[in-house]
Amino acid sequence: MIFDVLTIFPEIFDTVLGSSIIGRAQDAGLLKVTAHNIRDFSMDKHKKTDDSPYGGGNGLVMLAQPIYDAYISIVEKLEYKPYFIYMSPQGKRLDQQLVEQLAVHKHIIMLCGHYEGVDERILEEIVDEEVSIGDYVLTGGELPAMVLIDAISRTIPGVLSNEDSYSDESHKDGVLEYPQYTRPYEFRGTKVPDILLSGHHANIKKWRRLQSLKRTRERRPDLYGQLVLSNEDKKLLDKDRNDVLRE
Ligand code: ADE
């Protein structure tokens, strides 16, 4: 999977995405992230990448030309059109479902905006989709682009050392993850739930599923409302309710 990022701060991508799991995946050739400096494509003698908005108003707008030329420098060598995403608070809000939809593209170009935005003509001409990482406004699209690269990358087979750790986790099938414990058995007076030491794998699986369902119901009623509960899920929840009533 290839990610090309158009940004005025290319250096920050190397440090963040060069370390840990994403760094290792890049070393292993599973993905490649290249940050391109939009400023390198400026025709202005001061390497300007923005200007004041037509019609007046505060802030600066990013110029179309350096962005367009940076884009062309990437696609002119290709025989296909990569998927182009503009990171913007006005975009579609990112969730795990959108991550998985975007992960089907083998090559993604991302544009990181700044200031008051980007000249609309660039958006009309080359952007396939605008993506927001949440309903808040950041100072630039760099952190959002890194969030999206990280979220997509970890869905690529081989990026996580144990593939189960992707298929089992929060949001994957619309529920939150169950609680996890490791040594010691007792920490500040609280013991690990006995079921986890029983060695009974089927019961452990059921217990974990119940915890996931209860956690989702309590913390994310919005997600819980969209769940289609299996008969097995309903049985687990009924039994739990009866156990609680009996206590
Ligand atoms: N740029 C600024 N804020 C953003 C957000 N919430 N999501 C994506 N890009 C952004």
Side-chain angles (χ1 to χ4, degrees), residues 86-92 111-114 131-145:
Y86 173 42
M87 304 309 301
S88 142
Q90 290 153 46
K92 184 161 180 200
L111 170 62
C112 307
H114 264 265
V131 174
S132 163
I133 61 160
D135 291 339
Y136 42 85
V137 182
L138 300 166
T139 55
E142 280 74 16
L143 288 170

Side-chain angles (χ1 to χ4, degrees), residues 83-121:
Y83 200 68
F84 198 108
I85 299 174
Y86 173 42
M87 304 309 301
S88 142
Q90 290 153 46
K92 184 161 180 200
R93 196 166 57 193
L94 189 65
D95 58 15
Q96 195 63 31
Q97 197 188 340
L98 181 54
V99 168
E100 287 176 20
Q101 271 169 31
L102 296 173
V104 304
H105 300 285
K106 294 285 156 270
H107 188 168
I108 293 178
I109 304 181
M110 292 174 191
L111 170 62
C112 307
H114 264 265
Y115 321 113
E116 293 307 303
V118 172
D119 190 306
E120 189 67 20
R121 289 165 294 183

